[in-house]
Structure formats: C-alpha cells, structure tokens
C-alpha cells in the first residue's frame, strides 16, 4: 500500500441518503480520500441500466456540514453514477470504487439484478478495482455497525493486492452481530433463482395490474457457494467477472449445423 | 424436433411496435406457436432492470388484424416481460424465448447493458432455451430482410439440440446483404469497453446537465471474438452464462489475509 491516500469513489443503488451508503462513507474516510457520486433516489433492481434516452443531472450536495469530502447527487442509475463520476467529477482515475452498503442481499442470482453490483462492474470495465457490499437486511433502519470490520479488512486486502483484470468482488454480510459472524469466506455464486409470483389487482378504473414478488429457490447444496456461507454465518466474497462467455460450450456449438 | 409445434415467447427492448420485433415475429410464426409479451415503449440500455417499486400493466393488444397469435404490451422492462409472460400469460412453459431483433449491436461488453440480452438471460434462469438477436444498425427504419435465414438456422439448431443449462445465445448480425454475409461463427465476447464522453449543457434555468455518449474501444485483436467475426462479415454467436463467478480467481483470493 503506497503512502499516498487512495482515492475512493463511493456509490450505491439505494440513493445518496440511505443509511447504508452513509455508513460506507464513514468507513472509507478512514482508509482514503473519498468522493461520493450516488443516485438522488432509490434505484434498486436497476441491473446494469444506463441512461441513454434522457439527460442526466449531477449536482454537488452537502448532507452533513461537518464533513469535508465532496458529494454529488445524480439523477441516473448506479452505472451512470460511476460513468459520470470517473469522467466528469473526479480529477484522476480512482484507486478503488465501492458500492453499497446495499439494504438487502445480492448473493447468488441476485447479482444480475443488482444496481449495487452493476456500479462495481461498471468500474471494473474501466480497470478500477471495485467492490459491492450488501447486508442481508432490507430494512431502511438496518443496523450496519457490525459490518465495519469486515468491510475494512476486505477493502484493505483489495488495495494491497489489487484485483485481477476483469474481476470485481461481490460481498454479502449476514444480519448477525459481529461476534456471531464466523469469518470471511471466498465462494462461488450459488445456482439459485426466483420463482415469480404476481399479485394481480384492479386499479380504481377497473384495469388489471400486477405487483412482482417471488420466492427465492436455492437448489444448489454446494458448500462452496455464497448461499451456504451466509447461512452458516460467514461473510461471502464472490469474484465476479463481466466476460459472460460460456467458454466451455464453444466446442459443442461448433459441432452444430450452422453453415450447411 | 418433435412434431408438436414449439411454443415460442417473443420479446424485445425497443418496444412492441419496433420493426425489429415485427420481423422476428414473422420468422417465428413459421417455426412455432408464437406469443408476444413486449414493452409498451423503448427500453434500450435497461440492462437486467426489473420493476420492484412500481406496479406493472400487461394488456392484450392487436397490432395487425390479419394476425392470429396473441400479443401483450407490458409497462415494464424486458426482464419483467419474460417474468410476467411465463408466470401469468402463457399456459405452459415455453419451449423457446427469443428477444429482438435489436436495432443496434449487443456484441462484446454491450451484453451487460442490453435489455434484449437480459430478457434472454431471464428466460435462461427459468430453464428456458433463449436467444437474443441484434442487427448492427441502430436506425428505426433498418432493413431486417437479410437476417431471416440466419435467424431461422440458429433457432432451428437450438430447438433441435437444446442449450446447456445456464447458457443462452447472443447473436449479432452485420449490416450487410445476405449475399455479403460469409456465414455464422461461434465466438467469445471481445474484451472491449466504452470510453465515456459527457456532453455538458445548460438547461433554460441555467442548471448544468449531461448527455451520455461514448466511444467504443476494442483492444482485443483475437480472431475468436465476436467483434472480429462481425468485422469480417460473419454473424456472431456467443454462448452467454449468468454464473458470473470468476472461478479461476478463487484460489488466489484464498491466499489473502481475510481472517487474520
């Protein structure tokens, strides 16, 4: 770790006022120089959405007069925040991008829906080491105190070791006290998915509408998965890549009759 | 291929009236029984966004009185369309889901921003064989005629061979005549990315705002990539997975000092 303080871009998907990002900012200020560029409102479930058919606002804000770091509130998605942060707001490429702490899990298949993780992935595509942090507690009044030491440890390891090109980290933290948490485990993404349930209703004009909800189904009993680690009381760390190629399938597809 | 006509769910991200999906529907009607559930307006760049903080409408529509298949227009994202299509609209699990034809490329890193591909991935998470089709022409008046035979060939191969669990296909088609296209190539996703450029302007009230644009940078000269194939005049087929775990990195991360 160099003696110069690392420059850290902080963002999230629950919006700049969410308790999760406020706690993450307080941790990062002990580790480096912090600049915040975060959505002006909740953007959960936004996946890797970007704003291409509308304009973006990105304004300086001061949420706490006792704080000296700079913060910007952006009208776009988490991925937009990283793009505008690195290209327009920051004077140099950041040494690290952290996203979160998300109010709710981003383990297993949730990574593909996650605005928190898409911000980290976006930074990764720009060659910036990046970590998404999530707490397994959806409450807006969730307690983040116990996350501090695990976030510090993982962040310091990333700054010290760097991350391989094309890889970012997906960190999920159980809703347990610091004492109850057994440690940090490197895992693979569990093969789980959502079984959707739509709640069908009628609006006052008589038109049908739906609320999406669902049930999380984990049929992956592997003890090397994030779901297993979290159930056992560990913090899970999954290395996530954005080369989505299923390399193992290419050979088989070449046997297909695609050019007859 | 069984004698029973396959049930095919068709969706896209440019909206249900886009010429690309109208052309895809006409192709699929020759292959199977078609049901369309597509966004009621353009949803480009939506990535894998889903609608969790708002309700969804999904209404039957009749865009062409000569057509006998059913179509539904949905207020949500492409991933929402697949979820509500499979859970609420279709009477049984479809044999195939196709998404597109997108007006514009979804090759290389664009796969992570693509609503077209997120619809295919969503179907994949439900165990439905799925393909996203894109044409390298962003114009709303793009000519899709030459795409027909390639889409037919790939679709029939998928119906005949199935797809491995956890894998969907990302197909991109050059903006060339059918004669000029050299064939179909199975590829890996090129390691390319976007160099953002923000166009900063002032609104009539004097407040700064931005338009996101960017330059596509491909530093991957591999002749096994989708970018290479498309440049050479081939249709590219990339097998895409939604297990994002960077399995090759797990061993190295286990050497970190995460539990000292």
């Amino acid at each position: 770790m160099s003696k110069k303080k690392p420059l850290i871009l902080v963002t999230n998907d629950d919006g700049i006022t969410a308790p999760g990002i406020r706690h993450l900012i307080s941790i990062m200020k002990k580790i480096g120089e912090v600049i915040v560029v975060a959505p002006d409102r909740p953007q959960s479930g936004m996946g890797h959405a970007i704003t291409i058919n509308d304009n973006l606002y990105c304004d300086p804000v001061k949420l706490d007069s006792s704080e000296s770091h700079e913060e910007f509130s952006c009208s776009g998605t988490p991925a937009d925040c990283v793009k505008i942060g690195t290209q327009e707001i920051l004077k140099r490429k950041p040494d690290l991008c952290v996203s979160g702490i998300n109010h709710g899990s981003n383990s297993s298949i949730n990574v593909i829906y996650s605005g928190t993780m898409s911000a980290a992935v976006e930074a990764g595509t720009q060659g910036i080491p990046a970590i998404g942090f999530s707490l397994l507690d959806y409450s807006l009044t969730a307690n983040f105190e116990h996350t501090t030491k695990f976030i510090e440890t993982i962040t310091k390891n990333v700054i010290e070791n760097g991350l391989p090109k094309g890889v970012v980290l997906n960190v999920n933290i159980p809703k347990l006290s610091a004492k109850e948490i057994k440690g940090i485990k490197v895992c693979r993404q569990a093969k789980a998915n959502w079984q959707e349930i739509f709640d069908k209703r009628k609006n006052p004009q008589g038109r049908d509408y739906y609320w999406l909800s669902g049930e999380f189904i984990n049929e992956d009993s592997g003890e090397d998965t994030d779901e297993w680690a979290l159930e056992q009381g560990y913090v899970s760390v999954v290395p996530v890549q954005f080369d989505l190629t299923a390399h193992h399938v290419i050979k088989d597809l070449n046997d297909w009759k695609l050019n007859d």
Side-chain angles (χ1 to χ4, degrees), chain A residues 107-112 170 187-192 220 224-227 238-240:
Chain A
S107 59
S108 73
I109 194 66
N110 298 301
V111 67
I112 69 170
N170 181 16
C187 310
R188 65 172 173 86
Q189 171 186 330
K191 292 188 203 310
D220 187 339
D224 55 348
T225 68
D226 50 2
E227 288 303 317
V238 176
V240 163

Side-chain angles (χ1 to χ4, degrees), chain A residues 134-207:
Chain A
S134 304
L135 174 65
L136 272 63
D137 186 344
Y138 288 88
S139 166
L140 257 182
T141 57
N143 179 9
F144 289 94
E145 277 314 312
H146 70 288
T147 66
T148 305
K149 75 169 189 175
F150 303 105
I151 291 175
E152 278 180 358
T153 299
I154 293 165
T155 303
K156 285 174 180 171
N157 267 271
V158 168
I159 290 171
E160 209 163 296
N161 300 305
L163 278 173
K165 211 177 166 187
V167 173
V168 302
L169 297 186
N170 181 16
V171 175
N172 282 273
I173 303 169
K175 185 185 170 181
L176 294 170
S177 71
K179 262 191 188 168
E180 289 169 308
I181 292 180
K182 289 183 187 158
I184 299 171
K185 246 194 177 14
V186 181
C187 310
R188 65 172 173 86
Q189 171 186 330
K191 292 188 203 310
N193 67 322
W194 285 90
Q195 177 67 46
E196 264 66 51
I197 300 160
F198 283 92
D199 182 353
K200 189 173 179 178
R201 304 183 183 187
K202 271 196 199 305
N203 77 4
Q205 288 76 41
R207 184 176 170 200

Side-chain angles (χ1 to χ4, degrees), chain A residues 31-95:
Chain A
I31 298 175
E33 181 191 347
V34 167
I35 295 191
V36 180
V37 183
D40 60 9
R41 60 192 181 286
Q43 294 271 359
S44 292
M46 282 307 283
H48 210 104
I50 52 173
T51 303
I52 51 180
N53 290 321
D54 203 355
N55 53 47
L56 288 173
Y57 289 95
C58 189
D59 300 307
V61 287
K62 195 88 191 163
L63 296 183
D64 179 345
S65 61
S66 71
E67 298 284 355
S68 59
H69 67 278
E70 285 184 283
E71 301 204 15
F72 295 82
S73 173
C74 175
S75 61
T77 66
D80 288 331
C81 288
V82 172
K83 283 181 187 287
I84 207 164
T86 55
Q87 298 305 312
E88 284 290 320
I89 308 295
L90 276 76
K91 304 222 165 21
R92 66 174 181 91
K93 189 172 175 174
D95 301 298

